[in-house]
């Protein structure tokens, strides 16, 4: 009985050893544990040193600027005094002194206004000048004067510019000029649409009306 018990114990021990050896062998033959995947590094795109930064807009070109004209009030007052005794009807009584517009007021004379449109004649002082409106038979006349001058940096002197500049427009014509340091615009607005066969006012007529403008107010 003792011999059988000893035999069983010995057999169990052998089986235990054999199982241990089998587990050790499987552990040695097992493939290595997989490591956690790590994100691959993405190489940064190569930069070409020859490439330059985007060019900025060129700010060295002409720049439009607005300025207030210097008015020659002495010349305007002298011209006003020279015509004070003349009978020239401009249609308006313009204020003088500090109440006058900030530019010498030039207005047309001898303008024929239809009786039905007499109430439409008007004069309006502005912060930078004035405008006058004369409703006519074939065309309306609008006179604008301003001390606000627009120019560009680097402009050449305009000493060779014509005294009066006539320009046809879609609605008639206009004449521009400068005097006493202020800028003036005389517009002729046709009552009817212009055609190739005829216009409501010719260049010669527009220039004659503009040349006959008289000074009607000054400071």
């Amino acid at each position: 009985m003792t011999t059988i018990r000893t035999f069983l114990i010995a057999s169990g021990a052998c089986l235990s050893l054999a199982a241990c050896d089998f587990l050790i062998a499987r552990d040695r033959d097992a493939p290595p544990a997989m490591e956690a995947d790590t994100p691959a590094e993405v190489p940064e795109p190569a930069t070409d040193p020859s490439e330059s930064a985007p060019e900025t807009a060129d700010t060295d070109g002409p720049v439009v600027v607005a300025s207030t004209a210097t008015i020659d009030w002495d010349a305007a007052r002298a011209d006003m005094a020279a015509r004070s005794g003349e009978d020239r009807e401009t249609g308006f009584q313009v204020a003088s002194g500090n109440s006058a517009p900030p530019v010498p007021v030039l207005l047309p004379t001898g303008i024929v206004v239809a009786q039905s449109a007499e109430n439409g004649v008007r004069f309006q002082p502005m912060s930078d000048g004035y405008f006058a409106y004369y409703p006519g038979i074939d065309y309306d006349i609008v006179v604008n004067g301003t001390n606000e001058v627009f120019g560009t940096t680097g402009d050449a002197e305009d000493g060779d510019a014509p005294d009066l500049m006539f320009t046809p427009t879609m609605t008639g014509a206009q004449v521009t000029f400068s005097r006493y340091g202020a800028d003036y615009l005389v517009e002729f607005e046709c009552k009817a649409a212009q055609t190739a066969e005829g216009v409501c006012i010719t260049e010669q007529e527009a220039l004659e009306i503009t040349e006959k403008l008289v000074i009607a107010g000054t400071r």
Side-chain angles (χ1 to χ4, degrees):
M1 197 66 182
T2 302
T3 303
I4 294 174
R5 184 180 299 172
T6 302
F7 176 76
L8 292 175
I9 293 173
S11 298
C14 291
L15 290 174
S16 298
L17 292 175
C20 292
D21 292 339
F22 175 75
L23 293 175
I24 293 173
R26 285 182 58 87
D27 185 63
R28 290 176 180 174
D29 295 338
M34 295 294 293
E35 296 183 358
D37 293 336
T38 56
E41 295 183 359
V42 179
E44 295 182 359
T47 56
D48 186 353
S50 63
E51 295 181 355
S52 58
E55 296 184 359
T56 57
D58 184 10
T59 57
D60 296 334
V63 178
V64 177
V65 293
S67 59
T68 301
T70 300
I71 304 300
D72 188 350
W73 292 109
D74 290 338
R77 285 190 288 268
D79 289 346
M80 184 76 178
R83 69 160 296 271
S84 60
E86 300 178 4
D87 184 17
R88 295 184 179 180
E89 180 58 41
T90 62
F92 301 105
Q93 185 68 35
V94 181
S96 60
N98 293 333
S99 300
V103 297
V105 177
L106 300 179
L107 296 174
T109 59
I111 300 301
V112 178
V113 178
Q115 291 184 353
S116 60
E118 287 182 354
N119 294 332
V121 177
R122 60 183 182 273
F123 176 85
Q124 179 64 53
M126 308 290 288
S127 61
D128 64 334
Y130 71 94
F131 85 88
Y133 175 73
Y134 297 84
I137 299 173
D138 296 325
Y139 51 81
D140 299 334
I141 300 176
V142 182
V143 183
N144 298 272
T146 178
N147 63 1
E148 192 171 79
V149 179
F150 290 91
T152 57
T153 57
D155 278 351
E157 296 294 332
D158 57 356
D160 297 332
D163 183 35
L164 302 179
M165 181 177 294
F166 174 85
T167 306
T169 66
M170 295 294 293
T171 59
Q174 65 182 26
V175 179
T176 57
F177 65 97
S178 297
R179 193 172 298 172
Y180 306 119
D183 285 345
Y184 296 88
L185 169 66
V186 183
E187 299 175 280
F188 302 90
E189 300 178 349
C190 295
K191 295 289 189 178
Q194 298 188 90
T195 64
E197 289 75 19
V199 293
C200 68
I201 187 169
T202 65
E203 179 176 355
Q204 181 180 356
E205 292 171 338
L207 293 177
E208 286 179 355
I209 292 174
T210 305
E211 288 173 347
K212 292 179 180 179
L213 295 179
V214 297
I215 185 165
T218 185
R219 289 186 174 182

